[in-house]
Amino acid sequence: MLFDKRKITVIPGDGIGPEVVSAALKVIEATGVDIEPEIRVAGAEAFKKDIESGVPDETIESIERTKVVLKGPLETPIGFGNKSANVTLRTLFETFGNLRPVRELPGVHTPFTGRKLDIVIVRENVEDLYTGIEYMQTPGVAQALKIISRTGCEKIVRLAFEFAVAAGRKRVHCATKANIMKLTEGMLQHTFEEIAKQYPEIESKHILIDNCAHQLAMRPEQFDVIVTTNMNGDILSDLTSGLTGGLGFAPSANIGSDVAIFEAVHGSAPDIAGKNVANPTALILSAAMMLRHIGEGDCAHDIEEAVLVTLESGVRSGDMAGETKPSSTTEFADAIIANLGKKSKTVGAHRDFRAVRISPSSEDVQAVETKARKVTGVDVFIESKLQPEQLAADLNDICAGTTLNLHMIGNRGNTVYPADDGRKVTLIDQYRCRFMKKARNDALTNSEILALLTKIGEAHTWMHIEKLQQFDGEDAFSRTKS
Ligand code: NAD
């Protein structure tokens, strides 16, 4: 009986993409694994055809069917209005988790050589500041929304622990800035601390992101798996790839509930594109992660061993050759192919993997239920060149005869009214004006808010509002800083 080959979608991408992807495909083919690549377009070529998202329909159709992508880097057009094809792919297929493993490699000398680094960053991939929701609040003030959901936190934390279990890892750190962003970054910390209890065999630890960066530079060997929010993970994972030899060696997997996209961490490297000098290791190791994901663990293992044997034998790509003669991209791939089936001498090269269990996707709208909730006030963001006391006088007049009091005025997080400490802060023309009910236990209604906005709008420019809510008696907003 004839079986269909396992199909995978392959996107060669831009710049050095086609060179490193073709090297990886050659290596995959040489393992004898039964897969059939479907070559598809995304990135610069799509933008040239005026496909705004950077990802043509045929590519989307292929990915929906194969559910697995091996992808070269895609150039992001710079400038207003242009979308990133990478972000399109990540959001279309909701690849919520980005696994970025790095390890010490034989012959790849760095200041950390000998410390046996073997670290995986698990980066949340679809939320946080990277949702790209930004607004100009005034001609001189920009704002970005940092969106963190309980659902997103649960998915990424579970992925980190499930990966740790599958890969026989011992420790998971959660790196956040929860001391400053108590609600957003804090949500990841709390979710982590809750879910960690379900994985007693794995040591779990919370660490502040700035200290994590410091510790990664000082004592990186203490880290095993690090789970973190999107932007922190973006920065930390480039840092960890720098500790072990640079972008040329850093693979990654973008994991979703249905689709997984495997790619190098590096970009399209336009400075070396088309010269056959790019290091294909990152993409070849990404291909090994892909093979493990589709159940071809033995082939994945063979590729990883062959990469190590190749490096042990002194073959060097251009980015790490130093004084020695570098191998071209194709020569490097050929050397790996020649070493398939050989065993590496590198300590700790062998790791038993099991399949990572991934949370299934759900069609339901995800929500956290509360027993009691109410709106207790409203923050109104006002564009104004007035001094805080003048603005406060106006707003207090507006409040007279309403059910609301002006509670405070903030400017860039500083309380500037009431302010009796005489401290000077640099003011910008965006004020956050907080109004609370005079009867503090009463709930504020939509019509009261609308009436207030109408009155404010007669004299001032307001941009947006935030309702101040209480969930189960807990204030669901940040306290004012003074
Ligand atoms: P880059 O990673 O392309 O290059 C940074 C430096 O590293 C360059 O000097 C480059 O020559 C070198 N380098 C990268 N990969 C290498 C390899 N395999 N072998 C040898 N040297 C290598 O970063 P960049 O210059 O900031 O970005 C270039 C383009 O790539 C931009 O359009 C960016 O948006 C895009 N990009 C795409 C992805 C992706 O598709 N996942 C990731 C990052 C950047």
Side-chain angles (χ1 to χ4, degrees):
M1 188 167 137
L2 276 176
F3 288 99
D4 279 348
K5 285 189 171 187
R6 173 73 165 89
K7 291 198 168 102
I8 56 162
T9 305
V10 174
I11 300 174
D14 304 321
I16 59 170
E19 298 162 62
V20 292
V21 167
S22 123
L25 286 178
K26 257 171 88 181
V27 173
I28 294 175
E29 199 187 340
T31 64
V33 67
D34 237 2
I35 61 169
E36 187 182 326
E38 288 188 1
I39 310 288
R40 294 289 184 272
V41 165
E45 218 175 302
F47 288 120
K48 271 188 220 138
K49 292 182 186 149
D50 286 332
I51 297 165
E52 238 178 77
S53 68
V55 185
D57 288 348
E58 308 83 75
T59 307
I60 295 171
E61 181 280 324
S62 172
I63 299 172
E64 276 169 347
R65 209 167 10 82
T66 65
K67 315 244 182 260
V68 175
V69 185
L70 182 65
K71 168 185 163 298
L74 303 177
E75 234 169 69
T76 305
I78 295 171
F80 280 101
N82 284 318
K83 271 189 124 175
S84 149
N86 285 314
V87 175
T88 303
L89 283 171
R90 250 174 241 167
T91 33
L92 260 183
F93 298 105
E94 225 197 286
T95 50
F96 62 86
N98 187 206
L99 300 179
R100 293 187 170 189
V102 298
R103 65 185 307 171
E104 180 171 331
L105 292 165
V108 182
H109 293 292
T110 75
F112 297 93
T113 295
R115 291 161 81 165
K116 301 192 177 53
L117 301 190
D118 188 2
I119 304 170
V120 182
I121 304 286
V122 182
R123 164 188 169 192
E124 201 290 321
N125 222 14
V126 291
E127 298 196 335
D128 197 6
L129 285 163
Y130 288 18
T131 51
I133 307 172
E134 294 190 303
Y135 303 96
M136 290 306 292
Q137 290 290 299
T138 78
V141 180
Q143 177 189 295
L145 291 192
K146 181 174 169 84
I147 299 194
I148 304 279
S149 72
R150 169 73 197 197
T151 305
C153 291
E154 279 181 21
K155 282 171 102 165
I156 196 68
V157 169
R158 276 197 196 287
L159 178 65
F161 278 108
E162 287 295 337
F163 172 79
V165 170
R169 303 247 170 194
K170 306 259 173 308
R171 191 175 310 127
V172 180
H173 276 88
C174 173
T176 75
K177 194 69 184 168
N179 53 334
I180 304 291
M181 289 169 272
K182 296 182 191 336
L183 299 183
T184 50
E185 292 277 316
M187 189 177 290
L188 183 67
Q189 179 185 358
H190 298 141
T191 311
F192 174 79
E193 285 165 354
E194 230 177 279
I195 291 181
K197 293 183 193 133
Q198 297 164 27
Y199 297 87
E201 71 280 27
I202 308 277
E203 188 190 333
S204 63
K205 230 172 171 175
H206 175 259
I207 184 167
L208 290 176
I209 189 75
D210 37 351
N211 184 31
C212 185
H214 166 243
Q215 295 290 332
L216 276 168
M218 298 295 289
R219 275 198 322 117
E221 56 277 12
Q222 69 186 287
F223 294 102
D224 192 350
V225 176
I226 304 173
V227 61
T228 187
T229 43
N230 202 342
M231 189 163 116
N232 288 334
D234 193 4
I235 299 166
L236 275 199
S237 58
D238 266 32
L239 191 163
T240 49
S241 72
L243 300 177
T244 48
L247 291 173
F249 296 96
S252 86
N254 295 289
I255 305 286
S257 299
D258 301 314
V259 166
I261 302 174
F262 298 83
E263 62 179 335
V265 172
H266 63 69
S268 58
D271 50 338
I272 55 166
K275 298 181 180 160
N276 195 23
V277 297
N279 180 355
T281 309
L283 209 91
I284 291 171
L285 291 176
S286 308
M289 292 176 85
M290 177 193 76
L291 291 175
R292 186 164 285 121
H293 177 80
I294 60 173
E296 297 288 353
D298 291 345
C299 292
H301 194 69
D302 280 356
I303 292 177
E304 285 166 353
E305 291 274 0
V307 168
L308 294 173
V309 173
T310 303
L311 293 170
E312 284 162 5
S313 72
V315 177
R316 299 283 174 262
S317 54
D319 54 340
M320 53 167 298
E323 300 298 302
T324 60
K325 182 181 171 297
S327 296
S328 66
T329 309
T330 39
E331 286 164 348
F332 197 84
D334 289 342
I336 293 172
I337 291 167
N339 287 325
L340 282 169
K342 296 187 188 154
K343 292 273 167 251
S344 146
K345 295 193 287 287
T346 303
V347 181
H350 316 282
R351 188 182 274 291
D352 286 329
F353 277 90
R354 281 187 266 144
V356 181
R357 276 195 318 179
I358 295 159
S359 351
S361 56
S362 161
E363 306 247 306
D364 297 341
V365 176
Q366 309 287 302
V368 175
E369 299 302 334
T370 51
K371 289 197 185 74
R373 56 188 294 165
K374 66 177 172 188
V375 176
T376 58
V378 63
D379 275 356
V380 183
F381 289 75
I382 293 177
E383 177 178 352
S384 177
K385 293 196 182 80
L386 293 177
Q387 286 295 315
E389 309 75 48
Q390 293 169 286
L391 180 60
D394 260 21
L395 295 176
N396 276 322
D397 283 350
I398 286 171
C399 283
T402 73
T403 54
L404 290 154
N405 264 336
L406 174 65
H407 181 72
M408 72 97 201
I409 299 179
N411 193 290
R412 282 201 294 182
N414 295 301
T415 302
V416 292
Y417 172 86
D420 49 16
D421 59 2
R423 204 161 44 92
K424 285 261 171 284
V425 296
T426 304
L427 295 168
I428 58 167
D429 60 353
Q430 182 210 35
Y431 284 103
R432 178 168 57 112
C433 306
R434 177 161 292 180
F435 299 88
M436 307 292 284
K437 283 286 277 206
K438 284 176 183 158
R440 287 298 286 277
N441 276 330
D442 285 5
L444 180 63
T445 63
N446 284 338
S447 43
E448 284 171 301
I449 295 173
L450 291 173
L452 175 73
L453 288 177
T454 306
K455 280 182 124 185
I456 293 174
E458 284 162 7
H460 298 280
T461 302
W462 61 266
M463 289 86 68
H464 80 267
I465 67 157
E466 289 290 340
K467 285 180 173 176
L468 305 177
Q469 307 195 76
Q470 237 179 39
F471 298 135
D472 291 332
E474 292 274 332
D475 283 347
F477 48 91
S478 57
R479 293 195 203 271
T480 54
K481 188 170 80 168
S482 53

